[in-house]
Amino acid sequence: MENKKRETMSMVALVVSILPLVTLILTFLNISLSDEVRTICAGGNIIFVLAGLILSIICVKSSESRSTVNIISMVISSFWALLMVGIVAMALLLNFLQ
């Protein structure tokens, strides 16, 4: 029973980690969105990245539940988090340089 819960949480973490790609795919397809929808997508991406990172950390922390899916989810979530931190740092730097 406990193993089934961990597998479910691993798959949820992976799906939540992949969800920010939806906005990226929309951008690559040149689909224009209104300002409100872009704001909602940005907020959703932040929430999905944080939720995926937290779920991945919870899954990877336990050595008996560590699997390939958990590690992939952790790598994807870490990449998105580092990308967000880099964008914020660059925006702050450019803002202060002006």
Side-chain angles (χ1 to χ4, degrees):
M1 184 71 173
E2 184 70 28
N3 193 19
K4 187 71 172 168
K5 286 182 183 179
R6 290 187 191 270
E7 287 178 15
T8 304
M9 190 160 45
S10 298
M11 291 309 292
V12 168
L14 183 62
V15 168
V16 169
S17 298
I18 293 174
L19 280 175
L21 281 176
V22 172
T23 308
L24 189 63
I25 291 170
L26 291 175
T27 304
F28 285 147
L29 294 175
N30 290 329
I31 297 174
S32 60
L33 303 172
S34 66
D35 290 339
E36 294 84 16
V37 175
R38 281 194 302 238
T39 303
I40 291 170
C41 285
N45 285 343
I46 292 169
I47 291 170
F48 289 140
V49 167
L50 293 176
L53 191 60
I54 290 169
L55 286 173
S56 298
I57 290 171
I58 290 171
C59 291
V60 170
K61 191 164 60 167
S62 174
S63 62
E64 66 264 3
S65 71
R66 202 170 292 153
S67 68
T68 307
V69 174
N70 293 336
I71 294 170
I72 291 171
S73 174
M74 183 73 173
V75 168
I76 293 170
S77 296
S78 299
F79 169 74
W80 288 123
L82 285 173
L83 190 66
M84 285 189 338
V85 169
I87 289 170
V88 169
M90 189 169 80
L92 289 172
L93 181 69
L94 290 175
N95 193 19
F96 285 127
L97 288 179
Q98 289 180 346

